[in-house]
C-alpha cells in the first residue's frame, strides 16, 4: 500500500498558487525592487519551486511503478494522461497562433516551414503556454529514471544526474563565465541557435534529468533519508548559498541566462526533506479536492488569465495594483469553479456506476 504524504499535497497547492501569483504580478513587481543585481542573484540561489516539482514527480513516479502490478502499464497510463493534456493546450496554441498565420500569410513553403519551427519549439522547448515548458523535460527525466532504476543501475543514474547538473553550470549556472557565455565566442553559429541549445540543455538535463532522478533516488532510499540528522546539512546549505550568491554578485553581471546554481541542489533536497516531515490528518481528509484544485490552477491559470484580460480589456504592461488583484481573484474563482465542476462530474459517474452494479 502506498504511503500518503501531506507535505506533498501542501507543496503542490502552494506551488500552483505561487506560479499563478508570479504570472500575474510577482515577476513584474520584483523587477521594481532597488538593487536588482543582488535581488536576482539571491532569487537564483533560492529558486527551488521548479526543481521541487521535479523531485516530487520523480519520487511519486518511483513509488507508483514499484507498487503497481505492472510498472510498464503504470508508466504508460502516466505518460498517456500527460500527453493528452499537453496536446490539448498545443491545439489551443496552434489555433491561436499557427492557424491565423497560415490563413493570413498563405501556404507557401517558406511560411509552412516557419510555422512548423514555431510549433516544434512550442511542443518540445517553450511549451504552448508559459508554464508548460516544465512538461517535456519531465517526460525526458522520467523515461531515463524509469529505465535505469528498473534495471538496478542506480549508480549510473546518480552519476548522470550529478554529471549533468555540474556540466550545465558551465552553460547557464554558476560557472557560465568560466568558459564565456557570449555568443561571439562561436561566431560560426547563429546566436539564436546557441540560445535554443542552451535552453534545451538547461531544461532537459539541468532540471528534468537531475531532479527527477534525485526524486526517484530519494524514494528508493526513503527510510535512510528520514534517519539523517539534518541540522548540519542545513548549515552547510546556508553557508554554500550565501558564499555562492556573494561570489556571483561580486564577479558576475546579472543576466537572464543564469538559470541554475550549485546551491539549488542541496536547497531543493532540504526542502523536500522538510516536505516529507509534514504531518496533517486534515490535509489527507481533503487530499483529493486540494490536489484537483492544484492541478486545475497549474494547468489552466494562464488560459484563464488570457481570457480575463481580453474580457476586461487589460494589458499586463499598463495594469494597476488593483487590477492585478482583481485578475488574481477572478482567476482563482474560475479555477475553484472548474474544480467543483470536475468533482461533481466524477461523483455523478461513480453514482451512475454504482446504480449499474446494483441493477445487474
Amino acid at each position: 500500500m502506498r504511503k500518503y504524504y501531506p507535505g506533498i499535497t501542501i507543496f503542490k497547492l502552494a506551488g500552483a498558487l505561487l506560479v499563478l501569483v508570479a504570472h500575474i504580478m510577482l515577476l513584474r513587481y520584483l523587477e521594481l525592487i532597488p538593487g536588482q543585481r543582488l535581488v536576482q542573484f539571491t532569487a537564483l540561489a533560492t529558486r527551488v519551486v521548479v526543481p521541487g516539482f521535479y523531485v516530487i514527480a520523480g519520487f511519486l513516479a518511483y513509488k507508483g511503478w514499484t507498487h503497481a502490478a505492472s510498472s510498464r502499464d503504470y508508466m504508460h497510463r502516466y505518460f498517456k494522461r500527460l500527453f493528452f493534456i499537453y496536446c490539448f493546450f498545443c491545439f489551443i496554441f496552434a489555433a491561436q497562433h499557427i492557424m491565423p498565420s497560415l490563413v493570413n500569410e498563405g501556404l507557401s513553403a517558406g511560411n509552412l516551414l516557419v510555422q512548423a519551427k514555431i510549433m516544434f519549439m512550442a511542443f518540445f522547448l517553450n511549451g504552448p503556454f508559459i508554464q508548460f515548458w516544465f512538461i517535456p523535460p519531465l517526460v525526458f527525466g522520467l523515461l531515463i529514471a524509469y529505465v535505469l532504476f528498473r534495471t538496478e543501475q542506480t549508480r549510473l543514474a546518480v552519476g548522470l544526474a550529478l554529471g549533468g547538473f555540474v556540466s550545465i553550470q558551465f552553460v547557464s549556472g554558476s560557472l557560465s563565465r568560466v568558459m564565456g557565455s557570449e555568443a561571439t565566442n562561436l561566431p560560426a553559429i547563429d546566436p539564436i541557435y546557441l540560445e535554443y541549445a542552451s535552453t534545451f540543455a538547461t531544461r532537459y538535463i539541468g532540471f528534468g534529468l537531475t531532479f527527477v532522478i534525485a526524486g526517484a533516488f530519494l524514494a528508493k532510499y526513503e527510510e535512510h533519508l528520514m534517519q539523517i540528522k539534518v541540522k548540519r546539512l542545513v548549515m552547510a546549505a546556508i553557508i554554500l548559498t550565501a558564499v555562492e550568491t556573494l561570489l556571483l554578485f561580486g564577479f558576475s553581471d546579472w543576466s537572464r541566462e543564469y538559470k541554475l546554481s550549485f546551491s539549488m541542489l542541496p536547497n531543493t533536497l532540504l526542502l523536500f526533506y522538510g516536505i516529507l516531515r509534514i504531518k496533517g490528518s486534515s490535509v489527507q481528509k481533503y487530499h483529493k479536492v486540494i490536489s484537483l484544485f492544484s492541478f486545475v490552477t497549474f494547468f489552466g491559470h494562464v488560459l484563464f488569465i488570457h481570457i480575463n484580460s481580453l474580457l476586461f480589456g487589460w494589458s499586463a504592461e499598463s495594469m494597476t495594483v488593483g487590477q492585478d488583484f482583481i485578475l488574481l481573484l477572478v482567476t482563482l474563482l474560475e479555477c475553484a469553479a472548474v474544480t467543483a465542476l470536475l468533482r461533481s462530474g466524477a461523483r455523478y459517474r461513480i453514482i451512475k456506476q454504482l446504480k449499474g452494479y446494483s441493477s445487474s
Side-chain angles (χ1 to χ4, degrees):
M1 182 178 178
R2 290 181 62 179
K3 185 179 176 182
Y4 172 70
Y5 302 91
I8 291 180
T9 301
I10 294 173
F11 180 81
K12 286 181 179 179
L13 175 61
L17 293 175
L18 180 60
V19 170
L20 168 61
V21 174
H23 289 164
I24 290 180
M25 61 178 73
L26 184 60
L27 296 177
R28 287 189 289 116
Y29 291 170
L30 284 176
E31 294 179 354
L32 301 177
I33 299 176
Q36 275 297 297
R37 288 183 68 234
L38 183 58
V39 170
Q40 296 293 352
F41 278 125
T42 304
L44 171 68
T46 58
R47 195 183 300 161
V48 294
V49 174
V50 170
F53 271 120
Y54 280 122
V55 170
I56 286 174
F59 183 90
L60 293 180
Y62 181 91
K63 293 291 185 180
W65 80 60
T66 52
H67 287 84
S70 170
S71 62
R72 181 174 295 184
D73 289 343
Y74 175 86
M75 294 304 292
H76 179 263
R77 291 192 301 271
Y78 186 106
F79 290 131
K80 185 179 179 180
R81 288 194 297 266
L82 206 57
F83 177 77
F84 281 121
I85 294 170
Y86 194 67
C87 285
F88 170 75
F89 285 97
C90 285
F91 176 80
I92 294 176
F93 174 86
Q96 185 179 5
H97 299 284
I98 304 299
M99 294 305 297
S101 296
L102 292 176
V103 171
N104 295 330
E105 300 175 25
L107 301 177
S108 65
N111 189 38
L112 287 173
L113 180 60
V114 168
Q115 300 309 318
K117 288 181 179 178
I118 293 173
M119 198 66 213
F120 178 86
M121 296 300 294
F123 191 91
F124 289 102
L125 192 61
N126 296 323
F129 292 91
I130 187 172
Q131 79 273 36
F132 286 112
W133 71 263
F134 173 88
I135 302 298
L138 172 64
V139 174
F140 174 75
L142 284 174
L143 282 172
I144 294 179
Y146 175 72
V147 171
L148 293 180
F149 281 95
R150 284 295 297 167
T151 54
E152 298 297 329
Q153 300 185 69
T154 305
R155 289 187 178 181
L156 176 59
V158 173
L160 284 176
L162 291 177
F165 183 73
V166 172
S167 66
I168 298 303
Q169 298 300 321
F170 291 94
V171 177
S172 58
S174 301
L175 301 177
S176 61
R177 292 296 176 185
V178 173
M179 303 295 291
S181 61
E182 294 82 1
T184 52
N185 291 330
L186 296 170
I189 302 178
D190 190 330
I192 191 65
Y193 292 117
L194 285 176
E195 182 181 349
Y196 290 157
S198 173
T199 302
F200 179 90
T202 300
R203 293 179 175 180
Y204 278 76
I205 299 175
F207 283 106
L209 181 69
T210 299
F211 292 101
V212 170
I213 286 180
F217 180 81
L218 294 174
K220 182 178 178 69
Y221 296 102
E222 180 185 359
E223 292 183 4
H224 299 283
L225 171 67
M226 302 312 294
Q227 294 173 3
I228 293 176
K229 294 182 178 180
V230 77
K231 290 184 179 179
R232 293 182 180 179
L233 296 179
V234 171
M235 291 302 301
I238 291 174
I239 293 171
L240 173 61
T241 300
V243 171
E244 185 178 33
T245 301
L246 291 174
L247 286 173
L248 288 173
F249 179 71
F251 295 101
S252 301
D253 294 324
W254 169 253
S255 166
R256 293 191 181 277
E257 297 304 312
Y258 282 101
K259 304 297 182 185
L260 292 167
S261 62
F262 279 110
S263 57
M264 186 178 289
L265 182 58
N267 289 346
T268 302
L269 298 181
L270 284 172
L271 172 68
F272 184 71
Y273 176 87
I275 288 171
L276 293 187
R277 285 289 186 184
I278 294 175
K279 308 295 182 182
S281 57
S282 59
V283 176
Q284 186 170 1
K285 181 179 179 181
Y286 299 103
H287 161 69
K288 290 185 178 180
V289 67
I290 294 174
S291 296
L292 182 58
F293 176 74
S294 304
F295 177 88
V296 171
T297 302
F298 178 81
F299 281 95
H301 74 275
V302 171
L303 182 59
F304 293 141
I305 290 172
H306 282 313
I307 294 172
N308 294 331
S309 297
L310 289 173
L311 291 174
F312 288 121
W314 292 343
S315 174
E317 294 77 15
S318 59
M319 288 175 62
T320 65
V321 175
Q323 290 172 335
D324 283 331
F325 277 102
I326 291 173
L327 182 60
L328 176 62
L329 178 60
V330 171
T331 304
L332 279 172
L333 291 174
E334 289 167 339
C335 292
V338 172
T339 301
L341 185 64
L342 292 175
R343 285 279 292 173
S344 299
R347 288 174 180 172
Y348 174 77
R349 288 193 296 271
I350 292 173
I351 293 172
K352 190 175 180 179
Q353 289 176 354
L354 290 175
K355 287 182 178 179
Y357 291 142
S358 61
S359 61
S360 58

